[in-house]
Amino acid sequence: MERKTFPGTLDSLADIRQVAKEEAQRVGLSKKAAYNLMLAIDEIATNIIVHGYEEAGRSGSVDVVTEVADGQLILTLEDDATPFDPLQRGLPGEETFTQPLEERPIGGMGIYLTINGIDEFRYEFVNNRNRNIFISRIGEK
């Protein structure tokens, strides 16, 4: 298990995304699985920084914890922002995708892409920290 800590600022997003990219390449995820993982990490990290820190008037860090276990790449984003479980947010329904873009409600699409783009996504609040857990099976398409 490896942990890297980044300031909870938008300037850290490229570095956080790079960790996900390097780990995906290291374990041999397919290009599609790696892309989906990076998209999911980027979405949740952006939400942590923008909503959990900046809009809340807080400062903090984002830890990226990487682990390989049981044929899976597990990346976890940990933060000290206000507790927020992305899985509790209402996700867009089928009708949203049939609407023209300008008529779609704002919000929720990134979480939808996160949940549907990777093999498994979990949220925990442990020791006063948010944990967003992204799991990609190694060797899957």
Side-chain angles (χ1 to χ4, degrees), residues 17-121:
R17 199 172 28 249
Q18 185 65 27
V19 170
K21 179 179 181 179
E22 288 172 1
E23 286 299 311
Q25 289 174 338
R26 185 178 69 78
V27 301
L29 289 186
S30 70
K31 286 185 180 184
K32 181 179 179 183
Y35 173 81
N36 286 341
L37 176 63
M38 289 174 15
L39 181 66
I41 292 282
D42 194 55
E43 175 60 32
I44 298 299
T46 300
N47 286 347
I48 291 166
I49 293 165
V50 171
H51 304 298
Y53 288 138
E54 290 181 355
E55 290 177 359
R58 299 176 70 160
S59 62
S61 61
V62 178
D63 292 349
V64 182
V65 181
T66 59
E67 178 180 4
V68 176
D70 300 323
Q72 300 176 105
L73 171 61
I74 304 164
L75 269 73
T76 303
L77 297 181
E78 293 186 5
D79 66 82
D80 301 309
T82 303
F84 178 73
D85 180 353
L87 298 172
Q88 297 303 309
R89 188 179 196 312
L91 296 176
E94 287 295 319
E95 68 282 351
T96 301
F97 297 102
T98 62
Q99 296 174 327
L101 283 176
E102 62 275 2
E103 294 178 20
R104 293 182 187 176
I106 294 175
M109 280 302 229
I111 295 170
Y112 176 88
L113 290 171
T114 295
I115 292 169
N116 290 293
I118 61 173
D119 292 313
E120 185 179 346
F121 176 79

